[in-house]
């Protein structure tokens, strides 16, 4: 059975990745199994740069093929900000709540057709033989003018995916994972791994 490391400590993310890759002949470890690996600064200009940096750095420590992801929200009216700064949108002491407040303020008074946005996720895989490979998923939608729903995290209460009338925070997790940027990137990764690990 081939071993892989998921370059994350986030239990929700690890669980989502394990579910998406369920049934494949692989053993999935995570950063919880390597507590001595220091935090990796996400200083890339793109999601892909950050994901590749994390995957390579964790490989250097573990010598095991590693997956890493990076994701965020792009808002058209803000020229695709906050993008790679999604987590830190409201500054050094950002919280999900402060980020959402700032986003609402930036879009105040705009019509629905000026509130278009997308979530984007890149998952990269690294080992010295395949080098680096990246899989991308996106989910188009728009930002509403007040938070709705209590599920999820981050910008979920403000984001309504295209074709739906509920925010990510109002949808159940199974539905969100099917249509989300991360769910779609993971589906591409699974298709690749089905050939690679068989
Ligand atoms: P990360 O790639 O998990 O570090 O995500 C970076 C940031 O993007 C998060 O802190 C959130 O602000 C935002 N984000 C990424 N994915 C989602 C999502 O599925 N829902 C809401 N916010 C998200």
């Amino acid at each position: 059975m081939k071993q892989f490391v998921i370059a994350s400590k986030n239990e929700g993310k690890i669980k989502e990745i394990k579910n998406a890759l369920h049934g494949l002949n692989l053993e999935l470890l995570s950063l919880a199994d390597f507590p001595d690996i220091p935090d990796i600064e996400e200083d890339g200009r793109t999601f892909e740069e950050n994901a590749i940096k994390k995957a390579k750095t964790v490989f250097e420590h573990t010598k095991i093929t590693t997956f890493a992801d990076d994701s965020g929200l792009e808002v058209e009216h803000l020229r695709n900000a906050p993008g790679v700064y999604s987590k830190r949108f409201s500054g050094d002491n950002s919280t999900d709540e402060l980020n959402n407040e700032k986003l609402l303020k930036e879009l105040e008074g705009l019509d629905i057709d000026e509130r278009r946005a997308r979530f984007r996720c890149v998952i990269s895989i690294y080992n010295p033989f395949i080098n680096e490979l990246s899989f991308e998923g996106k989910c188009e939608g728009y930002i509403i003018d007040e938070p709705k729903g209590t599920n999820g995290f981050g910008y979920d209460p403000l984001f309504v995916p295209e074709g739906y009338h509920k925010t990510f925070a109002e949808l159940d997790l199974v539905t969100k994972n099917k249509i989300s940027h991360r769910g779609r990137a993971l589906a591409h990764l699974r298709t690749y791994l089905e050939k690679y690990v068989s």
Side-chain angles (χ1 to χ4, degrees):
M1 198 180 266
K2 266 202 173 73
Q3 278 191 326
F4 292 83
V5 181
I6 303 166
S8 180
K9 286 180 194 154
N10 177 326
E11 277 181 28
K13 200 178 269 185
I14 295 166
K15 201 169 152 203
E16 186 182 345
I17 296 176
K18 284 187 172 170
N19 280 343
L21 303 181
H22 182 74
L24 296 178
N25 190 26
L26 41 88
E27 183 189 354
L28 289 172
L29 307 173
S30 77
L31 291 189
D33 299 296
F34 301 96
D36 296 336
I37 299 179
D39 283 344
I40 301 160
E41 198 188 348
E42 296 184 18
D43 53 2
R45 282 163 303 148
T46 62
F47 298 122
E48 188 173 15
E49 271 181 33
N50 282 333
I52 290 172
K53 179 182 177 183
K54 279 189 274 183
K56 272 187 173 165
T57 309
V58 171
F59 179 88
E60 304 302 337
H61 285 86
T62 61
K63 306 296 176 211
I64 299 172
T65 303
T66 300
F67 316 126
D69 83 324
D70 194 34
S71 59
L73 179 72
E74 295 180 343
V75 179
E76 284 185 8
H77 182 77
L78 305 178
R79 289 198 231 132
N80 292 338
V84 288
Y85 302 104
S86 292
K87 200 173 181 173
R88 301 160 269 168
F89 189 39
S90 51
D92 285 344
N93 300 316
S94 286
T95 61
D96 288 347
E97 219 165 40
L98 290 173
N99 288 341
N100 284 335
E101 267 174 33
K102 175 168 169 152
L103 182 57
L104 285 179
K105 212 169 234 162
E106 303 260 359
L107 302 183
E108 208 170 320
L110 295 181
D111 288 342
I112 198 74
D113 55 336
E114 295 173 296
R115 305 177 77 97
R116 295 203 55 82
R118 76 191 60 83
F119 276 116
R120 208 185 265 284
C121 173
V122 175
I123 300 179
S124 299
I125 176 168
Y126 180 83
N127 75 31
F129 306 105
I130 57 171
N131 200 7
E132 60 205 36
L133 259 182
S134 296
F135 304 90
E136 179 164 353
K138 59 183 175 171
C139 181
E140 301 282 348
Y142 60 93
I143 304 298
I144 55 170
D145 58 10
E146 57 172 357
K148 282 189 187 158
T150 53
N151 299 333
F153 70 103
Y155 300 93
D156 279 349
L158 293 180
F159 183 82
V160 172
E162 220 164 61
Y164 289 76
H165 297 287
K166 287 183 174 179
T167 66
F168 264 177
E170 292 175 301
L171 291 171
D172 62 274
L173 199 58
V174 174
T175 309
K176 181 189 168 187
N177 289 348
K178 239 182 244 164
I179 60 170
S180 80
H181 47 311
R182 200 169 300 100
R184 287 177 173 155
L186 281 169
H188 292 308
L189 174 66
R190 183 179 175 106
T191 304
Y192 168 76
L193 289 174
E194 277 168 356
K195 292 182 208 139
Y196 182 71
V197 296
S198 60

